[in-house]
Amino acid sequence: GKSSLVKMVNVPKERNTFCKGKKCRKHTAHKVTQYKAGKASNYAQGKRRYDEKQKGYGGQTKPVFHKKAKTTKKITLRLECKDCKAKSHLCLKRTKHFELGEKKKSSAHQY
């Protein structure tokens, strides 16, 4: 495996980055959160088609995925501009441990 998978990824809760919003179009402060997929809608075209196909006799009509090979997911950050509230996404690499704005645990003695 890669060494990048082992390290803990720690991202600050704020970052200064370019905002594409009509009002800004410049570098501004952004609030950083982890992106999470929304609840799947029952009325999306694919779900309607699937439910229609599943009706009646004939068992499972579409393949069910079993061969899961990955142990990690790619991390997606959701950036919200503090000025104009415009949101954008930023993709990071795969990692097992991800955290937002945690303080560094220093191994050295503190006086």
Side-chain angles (χ1 to χ4, degrees), residues 9-12 15 32-34 73-79 89-95 97-100:
V9 176
N10 192 352
V11 173
R15 76 155 52 182
V32 179
T33 50
Q34 190 172 357
K73 285 208 157 112
K74 289 180 179 176
I75 303 292
T76 303
L77 300 181
R78 183 168 177 269
L79 306 172
H89 287 167
L90 179 72
C91 188
L92 302 182
K93 289 181 180 166
R94 298 180 173 278
T95 174
H97 300 291
F98 173 79
E99 51 189 33
L100 274 173

Side-chain angles (χ1 to χ4, degrees), residues 55-97:
K55 263 188 198 162
Y57 299 113
Q60 179 67 34
T61 59
K62 301 200 64 132
V64 178
F65 183 72
H66 294 301
K67 295 185 174 180
K68 190 171 177 305
K70 305 276 188 277
T71 58
T72 57
K73 285 208 157 112
K74 289 180 179 176
I75 303 292
T76 303
L77 300 181
R78 183 168 177 269
L79 306 172
E80 184 182 331
C81 175
K82 294 224 167 163
D83 301 351
C84 70
K85 300 282 182 272
K87 285 111 185 146
S88 61
H89 287 167
L90 179 72
C91 188
L92 302 182
K93 289 181 180 166
R94 298 180 173 278
T95 174
K96 282 201 165 110
H97 300 291

